[in-house]
């Protein structure tokens, strides 16, 4: 038995499902999760000594690759000064200044410890300042696991929410309306359903949690004007796309400015950091200035801030975005070509350094079309790639992330491994 299998067996005795986040289980692709011992650059190594080219990037944060020497050094230096004080630090100021400088919509920002916390807090702020309760979200978009977001749509175009987890009260779910991604009419219908009570629209400006689905021309602009005409706020959840689609996130790429933005993942450079920010007049409604309450013992933790600050500084200095986009074009272009050549139905969606190959024959533009993917075929593809030394996220509906540490040869290896699966 492998050491990974031993550890998984032992973990299942003390941790539900043996994992601390359900996406880490290999439930949808079969097999057991691999226990990781270390990672460096584009590679991760498991506890049995196998090495893989990593396409998961810790689900997005590791845009510079693993164990970047400058990031590690910044965290090490910070740790030597103590790990937490529960009082403000200069690092938090510098990170906040950098966020405000880089993200177009953010005039003021507050640091938290996860994307979940960021989205949850932004929603509370939107409800607090508008005095309204309803939120419009999109089927297939993920905003962390706070109660109001764990709502799935039924089969109708717009459906008053049914909780997708026990433990979410129906009375709360009733305030969440699901609309269809890339479908402005479904948003209009949601506004009609909850007339006068919609606090905000929250959206992933590039959807990254139902595979990758870019916004179609006019979609984000349409959300901006629907929010405005209905007196609601527009929240971009840029936890994945922030510092990934561009240094200024998807909002800089598409030129649409939300009222509030949530950040996470890359912002912490692999340490736990989230943030929410936006217009100063809105952010000034947060305690201690205003009445909307939110707090965190480890918010702005000095180690996490050091890792995040160094990551953003390197991104600003090295500007790897053009090269990342070119490698992404090459990777996903080659996969589409190879699949077509062998008559394998495949839809590759990608933007910047995030992408997804759906095993489906029709273009993927929303949750419903994403759901047509052949997940059994994906499971076989996933385990085949793993055998060839390529570590993909264990679900059809997760993104592949390239990092600045992926070399031309790494991308060639990924392409060759995938091509051999199509043949
Ligand atoms: C990952 C993610 C979150 C949740 O972030 P956590 O740090 O896992 O809590 C929220 N929104 C989006 C778009 C995400 O991808």
């Amino acid at each position: 038995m492998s050491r990974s299998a031993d550890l998984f067996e032992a973990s299942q005795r003390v941790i539900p499902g043996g994992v601390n986040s359900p996406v880490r289980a290999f439930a949808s692709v079969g097999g057991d999760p691999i226990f990781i011992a270390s990672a460096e650059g584009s590679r991760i190594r498991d506890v049995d000594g196998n090495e893989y080219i990593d396409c998961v990037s810790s689900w997005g944060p590791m845009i510079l690759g693993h164990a970047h020497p400058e990031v590690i050094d910044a965290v090490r230096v910070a740790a030597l000064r103590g790990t937490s004080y529960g009082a403000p630090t200069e690092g938090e100021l510098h990170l906040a200044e950098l966020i405000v400088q880089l993200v177009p919509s953010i005039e003021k920002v507050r640091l938290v410890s996860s994307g979940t916390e960021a989205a949850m807090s932004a929603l509370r702020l939107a409800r607090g300042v508008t005095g309204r309760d309803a939120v419009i979200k999109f089927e297939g978009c993920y905003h962390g696991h706070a109660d109001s977001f764990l709502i799935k749509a039924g089969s109708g175009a717009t459906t008053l929410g049914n909780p997708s987890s026990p433990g979410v009260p129906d009375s709360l779910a009733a305030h969440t309306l699901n609309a269809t991604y890339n479908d402005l009419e479904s948003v209009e219908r949601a506004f009609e359903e909850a007339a006068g009570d919609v606090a905000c629209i929250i959206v992933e400006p590039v959807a990254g949690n139902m595979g990758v689905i870019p916004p179609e021309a006019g979609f984000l602009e349409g959300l901006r004007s629907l929010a405005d005409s209905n007196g609601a706020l527009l929240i971009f959840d840029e936890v994945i796309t922030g510092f990934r689609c561009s240094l200024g996130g998807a909002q800089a790429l598409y030129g649409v400015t939300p009222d509030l933005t949530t950040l996470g993942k890359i912002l912490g450079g692999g340490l736990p950091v989230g943030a929410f920010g936006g217009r100063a007049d809105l952010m000034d409604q947060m305690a201690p200035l205003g009445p909307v309450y939110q707090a965190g013992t480890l918010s702005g933790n000095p180690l996490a801030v050091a890792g995040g600050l160094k990551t953003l500084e390197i991104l600003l200095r090295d500007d790897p975005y053009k090269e990342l986009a070119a490698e992404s074009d090459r990777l996903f272009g080659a996969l589409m070509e190879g699949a077509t050549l062998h008559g394998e139905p495949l839809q590759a969606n990608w933007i910047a350094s995030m992408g997804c190959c759906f095993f489906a024959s029709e273009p993927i533009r929303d949750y419903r079309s994403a759901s047509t993917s052949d997940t059994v075929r994906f499971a076989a593809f996933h385990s085949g790639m793993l055998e060839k030394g390529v570590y993909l996220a264990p679900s059809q509906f997760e993104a592949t992330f390239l990092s600045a540490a992926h070399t031309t040869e790494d991308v060639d290896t990924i392409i060759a491994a995938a091509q051999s699966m199509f043949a």
Side-chain angles (χ1 to χ4, degrees):
M1 206 154 123
S2 69
R3 182 148 169 72
S4 260
D6 280 340
L7 292 174
F8 186 50
E9 196 176 284
S11 295
Q12 284 173 287
R13 276 181 235 125
V14 287
I15 300 171
V19 289
N20 279 318
S21 189
V23 293
R24 295 177 197 171
F26 276 32
S28 67
V29 290
D32 291 340
I34 291 162
F35 279 60
I36 304 302
S38 67
E40 192 183 355
S42 63
R43 308 295 167 122
I44 53 168
R45 279 170 216 95
D46 69 15
V47 289
D48 291 294
N50 302 305
E51 189 176 279
Y52 307 88
I53 297 175
D54 180 27
C55 294
V56 180
S57 294
S58 186
W59 307 87
M62 314 313 299
I63 193 168
L64 298 176
H66 294 284
H68 189 289
E70 289 175 86
V71 176
I72 297 300
D73 198 49
V75 174
R76 198 181 56 82
V77 168
L80 292 173
R81 298 199 196 106
T83 55
S84 184
Y85 322 118
T89 59
E90 194 174 334
E92 290 162 80
L93 166 65
H94 293 323
L95 184 54
E97 284 176 336
L98 202 46
I99 294 169
V100 168
Q101 178 194 327
L102 295 176
V103 184
S105 68
I106 298 186
E107 295 172 348
K108 286 193 175 184
V109 63
R110 180 158 281 169
L111 299 179
V112 293
S113 297
S114 71
T116 293
E117 249 189 295
M120 181 182 92
S121 308
L123 175 60
R124 182 175 304 139
L125 176 57
R127 284 171 165 162
V129 298
T130 58
R132 300 168 170 192
D133 289 336
V135 48
I136 297 175
K137 67 177 281 291
F138 294 88
E139 194 178 11
C141 280
Y142 179 67
H143 305 293
H145 63 88
D147 287 349
S148 286
F149 299 125
L150 273 190
I151 316 292
K152 71 179 163 212
S155 49
T158 304
T159 312
L160 276 174
N162 302 310
S164 42
S165 166
V168 177
D170 288 338
S171 54
L172 188 64
H175 297 297
T176 301
L177 296 106
N178 273 285
T180 303
Y181 200 79
N182 277 328
D183 178 356
L184 289 171
E185 276 176 26
S186 73
V187 182
E188 283 171 25
R189 283 196 296 275
F191 270 114
E192 281 161 22
E193 250 179 88
D197 192 40
V198 177
C200 62
I201 305 172
I202 186 166
V203 67
E204 292 179 71
V206 173
N209 286 286
M210 45 178 161
V212 171
I213 305 182
E216 290 171 2
F219 178 59
L220 297 177
E221 291 85 349
L223 295 182
R224 178 68 273 178
S225 64
L226 280 171
D228 289 342
S229 58
N230 287 281
L233 299 182
L234 179 61
I235 304 177
F236 277 5
D237 183 346
E238 296 231 40
V239 171
I240 286 187
T241 53
F243 316 109
R244 166 76 56 190
C245 282
S246 79
L247 254 183
Q251 56 194 268
L253 193 65
Y254 291 98
V256 177
T257 306
D259 300 294
L260 295 172
T261 297
T262 58
L263 298 167
K265 298 197 167 110
I266 289 174
L267 178 61
L271 288 97
V273 182
F276 65 105
R279 278 167 35 201
D281 64 306
L282 298 174
M283 293 304 292
D284 283 347
Q285 294 302 309
M286 298 302 302
L289 277 184
V292 181
Y293 195 73
Q294 172 275 336
T297 301
L298 291 179
S299 290
N301 173 264
L303 267 63
V305 164
L309 187 57
K310 184 53 75 177
T311 297
L312 296 197
E313 285 171 354
I314 294 170
L315 288 171
L316 193 58
R317 180 192 71 200
D318 295 353
D319 195 6
Y321 293 96
K322 245 197 204 126
E323 258 170 71
L324 279 168
E327 282 298 271
S328 234
D329 288 349
R330 198 163 73 79
L331 171 63
F332 291 102
L335 297 187
M336 276 298 271
E337 216 171 279
T340 308
L341 202 64
H342 293 100
E344 170 108 42
L346 192 83
Q347 302 292 326
N349 282 357
W350 73 94
I351 182 107
S353 51
M354 59 191 282
C356 179
C357 289
F358 299 89
F359 288 91
S361 38
E362 299 297 324
I364 308 298
R365 57 187 298 267
D366 56 18
Y367 181 73
R368 221 165 312 157
S369 46
S371 306
T372 66
S373 303
D374 183 347
T375 52
V376 175
R377 177 69 185 102
F378 176 82
F381 183 72
H382 180 270
S383 45
M385 291 296 276
L386 202 58
E387 268 168 37
K388 293 180 169 60
V390 180
Y391 186 74
L392 299 176
S395 162
Q396 166 72 88
F397 305 106
E398 299 291 350
T400 283
F401 294 108
L402 287 183
S403 76
H406 284 97
T407 61
T408 307
E409 294 73 41
D410 287 335
V411 173
D412 288 342
T413 304
I414 301 169
I415 292 172
Q419 303 281 27
S420 73
M421 305 281 302
F422 299 144

